[in-house]
Amino acid sequence: MATSAGECSLHDLEDAHVDVMRRSLLKWYDENKRELPWRHKAKTVTDDNERAYAVWVSEVMCQQTQVATVIDYYNRWMDKWPTVHLLAKATLEEVNEMWSGLGYYSRGRRLWEGAMKVVKELGGCMPTTAQDLQKLLPGVGRYTSCAIASISLSEPVGVVDGNVIRVMSRVRAIGAESQQPSTMDRFWSLADRAVDPKRPGDFNQSVMELGATVCSPKTPSCAVCPIQPICHAYRMTKDSRSSSCQKFFKLSSSSSPPPAVETLPQVSSEGTVEPR
């Protein structure tokens, strides 16, 4: 039976591991991130209100829809309604027409309803914290509010989506059912602990990018993973394979000892990788 994620110290992030995650993931992200239009806007739009709106649109569109499909829809949406004020002036028919093909039309409707609420009830200003975004905008849950706040407003809050769950499950060897409340609480705790306070949006996107492109569900590319040295799942898999090899050599050659088994490196307090 799977145990709760809160019952094992393996599931905690040590200070040195947090430092390695931040530095390694941000370096990897800077060198390997996909160039996406909403990421460009998050970096180039100077007005907080417009930047938060641009990220909000992208997050809603990317729910249950592949990024490659979203790009064209996002560009056309932002060309027509580049600000929350302009979206609030649109009709639901116009919104549905623009959304046609993306599916789950309630997402577009909630964006439109949220824009009208921002203009009519919030003085035209987007909420500026994750807590207020979730509280005040229709259809905005914990993940979306934290993504908007961290990416567009630099609030140091973590995010938890399917990619983050997969990465954290492997890095911390969490085998508990991810939908259990206690397990989700642990994922949020890990995400908040790991997030880089200076670049929270980039860090959160780096974890999600890693899950989408490297730490895939069935065939993860562990050889190129920037946080492989602190990944418990990789270590356990490698140790298991090495143990099997040892048994093979013992059976096949009783006259010679089995080869030494290498283990993964330790991480020093400075965040550097040291051999054991």
Side-chain angles (χ1 to χ4, degrees):
M1 178 182 295
T3 58
S4 167
E7 296 176 6
C8 180
S9 61
L10 265 180
H11 302 150
D12 296 328
L13 276 172
E14 301 171 9
D15 289 345
H17 288 177
V18 170
D19 184 59
V20 169
M21 283 192 74
R22 290 173 179 173
R23 290 190 295 104
S24 299
L25 280 173
L26 285 170
K27 182 177 184 296
W28 173 84
Y29 181 74
D30 288 341
E31 296 172 353
N32 296 278
K33 67 178 180 291
R34 292 170 291 179
E35 295 298 329
L36 301 171
W38 46 90
R39 288 178 176 169
H40 178 72
K41 286 185 179 296
K43 293 296 184 183
T44 59
V45 174
T46 57
D47 182 79
D48 288 353
N49 216 44
E50 291 184 18
R51 193 168 60 248
Y53 165 72
V55 174
W56 179 25
V57 173
S58 72
E59 289 297 333
V60 174
M61 285 190 170
C62 285
Q63 292 169 8
Q64 300 174 304
T65 305
Q66 293 184 346
V67 167
T69 301
V70 169
I71 292 173
D72 182 56
Y73 282 89
Y74 180 82
N75 286 332
R76 287 190 287 113
W77 181 286
M78 295 304 295
D79 285 343
K80 188 173 182 65
W81 302 305
T83 68
V84 69
H85 295 82
L86 289 175
L87 177 58
K89 294 179 180 179
T91 66
L92 181 57
E93 289 73 22
E94 289 176 313
V95 169
N96 285 336
E97 182 180 357
M98 180 67 73
W99 201 270
S100 179
L102 269 181
Y104 301 100
Y105 284 82
S106 61
R107 294 180 295 166
R109 187 188 71 247
R110 285 196 296 267
L111 263 175
W112 174 69
E113 291 171 348
M116 289 194 295
K117 182 173 183 179
V118 168
V119 171
K120 295 179 180 179
E121 300 179 25
L122 304 179
C125 297
M126 290 280 293
T128 57
T129 67
Q131 183 177 4
D132 285 346
L133 284 161
Q134 183 175 355
K135 178 181 178 181
L136 298 173
L137 296 184
V140 171
R142 186 174 182 180
Y143 161 77
T144 303
S145 65
C146 290
I148 297 170
S150 63
I151 295 170
S152 66
L153 302 168
S154 296
E155 184 178 351
V157 289
V159 299
V160 174
D161 73 345
N163 287 315
V164 174
I165 288 174
R166 184 164 57 257
V167 170
M168 290 298 186
S169 291
R170 290 170 174 171
V171 170
R172 294 293 90 189
I174 298 175
E177 172 55 50
S178 64
Q179 296 307 312
Q180 290 181 0
S182 60
T183 310
M184 286 301 297
D185 288 344
R186 174 48 60 97
F187 285 130
W188 278 104
S189 176
L190 288 170
D192 283 335
R193 171 144 169 67
V195 68
D196 188 281
K198 295 180 180 179
R199 297 177 61 187
D202 286 343
F203 179 84
N204 286 336
Q205 290 180 97
S206 76
V207 182
M208 293 187 284
E209 188 87 341
L210 188 77
T213 63
V214 174
C215 193
S216 56
K218 294 183 179 180
T219 54
S221 303
C222 299
V224 297
C225 179
I227 54 175
Q228 181 209 96
I230 62 169
C231 180
H232 284 311
Y234 177 82
R235 179 184 210 163
M236 293 163 69
T237 302
K238 184 175 181 180
D239 286 350
S240 175
R241 289 173 179 171
S242 297
S243 177
S244 297
C245 288
Q246 280 189 320
K247 291 177 182 178
F248 171 78
F249 280 110
K250 285 180 180 179
L251 290 172
S252 62
S253 177
S254 58
S255 60
S256 59
V261 180
E262 288 187 351
T263 57
L264 285 176
Q266 293 277 26
V267 180
S268 73
S269 59
E270 288 78 27
T272 56
V273 175
E274 300 175 340
R276 281 188 168 183

